[in-house]
Amino acid sequence: MQENTNTNRQAAVGTGDFIQGVKDCIPTLLGYLSIGFAAGVVEKTSGLSIIEITLMSVLIYAGSAQFIIAGMIAAQGSVAAIIVTIFFVNLRHLLLSAALSPYFRHLTPLKNMLVGSLLTDETFGVAINQTSYKQRLSEKWMHGLNITAYLNWIAANIAGAYLGQWITNPQKLGLDFALPAMFIGLLVLLMVSRGKIVRDVIVAISAVVVVIGVTLVSSASVGVIVATVIAATVGMVVEKWK
């Protein structure tokens, strides 16, 4: 009985190690490979060199942002416009970090910063799934998850950049739709695993309605931020109401 109690307590605080984090990242690697490859191809066809694409993957490390940068470069957008657009698009990471921060309160601010610096939509999805039965998450486990995804993304971008030399029109292959397709897949899998279909569908519909409405009067990036906040609020209200 005592042994079972200790085991349950360890599971509650999240004692996963680095290798376990690597293993838990494996299901998302196929998506990362396909999206990273598509991003590399699109970036190459927009006129970026393989070195520039590699640096972008290492320093920016954001799929949606890199697709947008490639599109704006191809459209000869200004540097200022690109910076402002990417700033608003990546603001969602503040929300992702805020959602996970309660599970890393046992870490110092510096260690929290290291954990958050490589957080992405996909690794957030894996981590938030763990929080359903853990009171806090392991720093080593999170680093295993984040670093595996990070290295895989860089490699996929470089592969796409190299092979992109022979793909002149990525739209014909549907590569420009690879990112939203992966997000849709992750959303469906998460909704099914959570078992709260009604609430999740209400939140999803709210997000779609809001983002379309806001996009009609503002930019798509602002629409994403507003939809995220409003949809999260709707989800909280529905949860409390039940």
Side-chain angles (χ1 to χ4, degrees):
M1 177 67 73
Q2 182 64 36
E3 183 179 348
N4 290 337
T5 301
N6 291 335
T7 301
N8 292 336
R9 185 179 297 113
Q10 289 177 347
V13 299
T15 56
D17 59 10
F18 184 91
I19 299 301
Q20 186 59 49
V22 173
K23 292 178 180 179
D24 289 338
C25 188
I26 291 175
T28 67
L29 291 187
L30 184 59
Y32 261 62
L33 283 172
S34 59
I35 303 306
F37 181 84
V41 172
V42 172
E43 289 158 358
K44 184 62 179 177
T45 56
S46 71
L48 294 172
S49 67
I50 293 181
I51 294 178
E52 289 171 331
I53 293 170
T54 301
L55 288 174
M56 187 186 299
S57 303
V58 171
L59 300 176
I60 297 178
Y61 183 43
S64 56
Q66 289 178 223
F67 273 100
I68 291 171
I69 290 173
M72 294 185 73
I73 289 176
Q76 298 183 340
S78 67
V79 173
I82 292 174
I83 291 174
V84 171
T85 301
I86 299 309
F87 173 77
F88 281 108
V89 168
N90 284 343
L91 272 180
R92 72 186 187 281
H93 288 284
L94 289 175
L95 301 174
L96 301 182
S97 299
L100 283 183
S101 62
Y103 302 95
F104 292 101
R105 286 177 178 166
H106 57 290
L107 301 180
T108 64
L110 177 60
K111 289 183 177 181
N112 266 291
M113 183 182 70
L114 293 175
V115 168
S117 63
L118 293 182
L119 185 66
T120 65
D121 302 272
E122 294 77 22
T123 56
F124 170 82
V126 175
I128 205 68
N129 217 23
Q130 296 282 317
T131 63
S132 60
Y133 54 89
K134 292 181 180 179
Q135 296 175 0
R136 71 183 188 187
L137 297 177
S138 164
E139 175 191 7
K140 292 181 180 179
W141 176 84
M142 196 68 198
H143 283 317
L145 178 70
N146 280 340
I147 292 174
T148 302
Y150 181 55
L151 295 178
N152 185 70
W153 176 257
I154 295 171
N157 267 256
I158 294 174
Y162 181 75
L163 296 177
Q165 301 175 77
W166 296 283
I167 302 177
T168 57
N169 191 353
Q171 285 80 10
K172 282 187 176 181
L173 301 177
L175 295 179
D176 56 329
F177 188 68
L179 186 65
M182 184 183 70
F183 282 136
I184 291 172
L186 288 172
L187 175 63
V188 172
L189 290 175
L190 183 60
M191 289 172 64
V192 171
S193 65
R194 281 160 51 86
K196 299 179 179 179
I197 302 297
V198 174
R199 188 187 68 177
D200 289 345
V201 168
I202 293 174
V203 172
I205 293 175
S206 301
V208 171
V209 171
V210 172
V211 78
I212 292 176
V214 174
T215 302
L216 293 176
V217 297
S218 185
S219 65
S221 56
V222 173
V224 170
I225 298 298
V226 174
T228 301
V229 174
I230 293 179
T233 303
V234 169
M236 181 185 67
V237 170
V238 172
E239 178 73 12
K240 296 293 183 181
W241 181 67
K242 285 189 175 182

